[in-house]
Amino acid sequence: RVSSDGKPPKFQPPPKPVIVDRKTQKEESRFLSPEFIPPRGRTDPLKYYIERKDMIQRRKVFNIPEFYVGSVLAVTTADPCASDKSKRFVGICIQRGGKGLGATFVLRNVIEDQGVEICYELYSPRIQAIEVLKLEKRLDENLTYLRDALPEYSTFDVNMRPVPRMAHEEIPVNKVQVRMKPKPWSKRWERPKYNIKGIKFELPEHKMKAAQKWSQPWLEFDMLREYDTSKIEEKIRKELSEELEK
Amino acid sequence: MMPIWTKSGEKRPVTLLKVQDCHVLRYVSKEESGGKTAKLLVGGKNVSPFSKPESAHEIFKEAGVPRKQKVSTFNVTDDAIIKPGTPLYAAHFRPGQFVDVTAKTIGKGFQGVMKRWGFKGQPASHGQTKTHRRPGAISTNKAAKVYRGKKMPGKMGNIYRTSFGLKVWRINTKHDIIYVNGSVPGHTNCLVKVRDSKLPTYKDCNKNPPFPTFFADGDEELPEDLFDEEIFQFTDPSVTFA
């Protein structure tokens, strides 16, 4: 370096390191609750718009957290017959059904060797709190086969502590293969129409092959069954984020 | 259809009815119509004028209104007469009123006697030859004829039916929507006629309805949503039992 005025060059401190946090720069969670997506039909979209306004209104007052089928939830509801006037139930979410205000989710648990399933409505005013104890996904969208699985897969501790989860982490997928009770089952889960990936089938080979007789390979090419929701979802996400910020 | 919750946490199913471009078309006096009361012709839902001849447009031209898809008559007392051409809004009804809803039921086409009239049919096995869904006997021996009105197979549905005594839970004045308790005859997006209930239990239910109708250019400023007292509004916190 050329020294200025013959004096030794002034000390230049090294440039401060710029920490680029890639995780926060990732887009915000693109989760849209499935009951917002309108079903395909001939109803006037005005009806879904009005329903969504009511749903957003409820979400502003009461927090409905993000959860998937396979996460463990604890729900407190108001009950006039209970001594504390409220009831708490912990269970794994088996299925989410319904669209709009009538959206429901079913929680399953095994209490004192008795399997119990309770169907709650997401927007019912009786629900006082929904906590997500463990947020995770499973390999299937519908875990109704847990009714025919060994009870250890549906038991969850009633006083379980919520599992801490870092923000901006991807939702873990639990790839557990569930072992079943001996047949007969409530439904023939080995048939391809249910498309279940989360069961460890211990049936003989010829039975699995016989079940493939009911497969319908032409269904995935059927264009009339396609329902592309990407554009509808974008619009609804925009609407939701605008309304919830108000 | 949509669920609605009361303040005690009970769920009620509710049908949404939209008041779309309703105008009063003509006033028919008691003597002219030959009935007991005067009548008002009301039309709903604008439709293109090109599919009907000019002669059919006379009523609409007199009232100064585009062509309507459906014209229906309402029997009205003399103090409730409205000038032809006034628009009618959903705010004509108030929450807490009881209402009768008439519409054409879903058409099922030509149907057999088991679906149309609920006959029991015959057993599936034990020797029945070619007889499982037939009506069986249609008359007695002594009558020697078949009575008029005998229930037989035929076209089912697509006729006017009314559901009586439906409560109005909520009114949306911005989009002109009436939330009516329970189900209503007809398919989705079909045309429907809404009248004040004629049942004797609900004779004195209308406390202070807008009479003769709700005028939009009047001084009254209504909020966007009108709720019944028992409805749980989503702006309130969750229901708790004391």
Side-chain angles (χ1 to χ4, degrees), chain A residues 30-37 55 59 64-67 96 99 103 122-123 236-237 240:
Chain A
R30 318 245 15 221
F31 171 71
L32 182 66
S33 211
E35 73 262 7
F36 280 103
I37 302 164
M55 284 150 79
R59 278 183 183 242
I64 298 176
E66 165 191 350
F67 67 96
R96 288 182 80 160
K99 298 280 179 204
L122 272 176
Y123 294 94
I236 298 180
R237 257 194 212 114
L240 261 187

Side-chain angles (χ1 to χ4, degrees), chain B residues 51-80:
Chain B
S51 40
K52 285 281 185 220
E54 285 290 326
S55 49
H57 292 324
E58 272 181 40
I59 312 178
F60 305 110
K61 277 191 187 153
E62 280 168 41
V65 137
R67 185 183 143 228
K68 304 287 184 185
Q69 184 168 349
K70 182 98 190 122
V71 175
S72 47
T73 37
F74 288 87
N75 290 341
V76 190
T77 44
D78 285 320
D79 50 353

Side-chain angles (χ1 to χ4, degrees), chain A residues 42 44 46-47 49-51 53-54 57-58 61 78-80 85 101-102 121 123-128, chain B residues 1-3 5 9 11 16 18 170 172 175 177 179 189 224 232 234-242:
Chain A
R42 292 168 69 170
D44 203 353
L46 176 68
K47 185 241 177 187
Y49 171 69
I50 300 246
E51 232 181 337
K53 270 194 349 194
D54 274 341
Q57 189 57 254
R58 173 73 178 156
V61 174
D79 187 21
K85 303 299 171 197
L101 277 177
E121 286 150 12
Y123 294 94
S124 166
R126 275 235 194 115
I127 296 187
Q128 277 154 353
Chain B
M1 282 195 74
M2 201 156 93
W5 284 272
K11 185 162 97 150
L16 310 192
K18 175 152 168 100
R170 179 176 161 183
N172 186 319
H175 297 277
I177 298 184
Y179 289 59
N189 303 339
E224 190 188 326
F232 168 79
F234 288 115
T235 38
D236 305 331
S238 303
V239 158
T240 37
F241 298 101

Side-chain angles (χ1 to χ4, degrees), chain B residues 18-34:
Chain B
K18 175 152 168 100
V19 178
Q20 198 163 0
D21 319 313
C22 285
H23 286 92
V24 176
L25 296 178
R26 198 202 278 172
Y27 159 66
V28 176
S29 64
K30 195 158 72 165
E31 295 79 36
E32 228 180 295
S33 63

Side-chain angles (χ1 to χ4, degrees), chain B residues 156-173:
Chain B
M156 182 180 163
N158 202 27
I159 47 172
Y160 284 104
R161 281 288 188 253
T162 318
S163 359
F164 296 99
L166 304 178
K167 181 166 177 178
V168 170
W169 285 107
R170 179 176 161 183
I171 299 215
N172 186 319
T173 31

